[in-house]
Amino acid sequence: DAGVTQSPTHLIKTRGQQVTLRCSPKSGHDTVSWYQQALGQGPQFIFQYYEEEERQRGNFPDRFSGHQFPNYSSELNVNALLLGDSALYLCASSSWTGEVTGELFFGEGSRLTVL
Amino acid sequence: KQEVTQIPAALSVPEGENLVLNCSFTDSAIYNLQWFRQDPGKGLTSLLLIQSSQREQTSGRLNASLDKSSGRSTLYIAASQPGDSATYLCAALFNNDMRFGAGTRLTVKP
C-alpha cells in the first residue's frame, strides 16, 4: 500500500516564476491538505480539498491555488514566486468522517527554493 | 486565536532516560490532537492520534495524554534511544483547521 507521494522532491525557481507541485493521497483517502513549512517552524495550513472543491483555506494569498482530480490526487500552484515562498511544501491525506477530517498522513514534501 | 505551543524548543538527554514533551493549545474546542515525528528535511510521520473524547493513547514506548480542560497534551517517551532523535510536533484540529506547534527538537546521546 503506497503512502502519500509527492513530486518533485526538490526544485529551484526564480522570482516571478510559477510552480506546480503534485500529490497522490494514501489509498482509500479522499481528502488532501497542503501545508507550507519554513525552516525551523511548524507547518502552516494552506488549504484542503475534498470532492474536488476547496473546503477550507488558511491565511495565504490568492497566488496560492490548487486543484483536486477525480482520482483524489491534487496539485498546488504558486504564481509570481517570491523569495519568501522558499519552503518545504507538505501534502497530507485523510478520510473525511462526515464531520471532520480524520488522521493525517504526510508525504515527504517538495523542497522549493526561490532565487 | 487558536494557537499551539510546544515547550521546550530543544531537549538533549542521555540514552535510556524517560522524557516528557509538552504541548499546549489555547482553545479547548478541539476535535483531536495528533503527535508527529519529523527527521531533518523529511515529511511528518504520525505517531499517535487522540480523539477529543479520549484521555490517552499508547504505542510501544510512546504514551500521549490529552487534557482538554487545561489545554495540554504530553508525549511520554520511555527508555529513550539514539534513534528517537528527531523533531516532535503536535497538532490540534480546530473545526477542520489543524494548527501545529513549532516542535521540540530531541537529541538522545549514546
Side-chain angles (χ1 to χ4, degrees), chain B:
Chain B
K1 184 179 179 183
Q2 297 158 337
E3 294 183 346
V4 178
T5 305
Q6 291 187 249
I7 295 174
L11 181 64
S12 181
V13 301
E15 181 178 3
E17 191 163 299
N18 302 324
L19 59 101
V20 174
L21 306 181
N22 297 296
C23 172
S24 61
F25 44 93
T26 54
D27 186 347
S28 63
I30 65 170
Y31 284 93
N32 61 47
L33 188 137
Q34 201 166 349
W35 282 92
F36 296 89
R37 167 186 174 139
Q38 186 174 34
D39 293 293
K42 300 293 187 180
L44 280 64
T45 299
S46 179
L47 298 174
L48 290 164
L49 170 70
I50 310 176
Q51 302 291 350
S52 62
S53 58
Q54 298 175 320
R55 296 297 299 269
E56 66 177 311
Q57 282 284 352
T58 298
S59 176
R61 295 183 293 110
L62 304 179
N63 176 277
S65 67
L66 176 64
D67 185 343
K68 287 176 54 180
S69 61
S70 66
R72 295 185 64 182
S73 176
T74 61
L75 178 67
Y76 175 83
I77 302 177
S80 58
Q81 303 170 358
D84 295 331
S85 297
T87 297
Y88 291 81
L89 298 118
C90 70
L93 181 62
F94 304 101
N95 195 27
N96 274 326
D97 182 4
M98 179 156 269
R99 297 292 180 105
F100 282 80
T104 294
R105 189 174 68 254
L106 173 66
T107 302
V108 181
K109 297 177 287 186

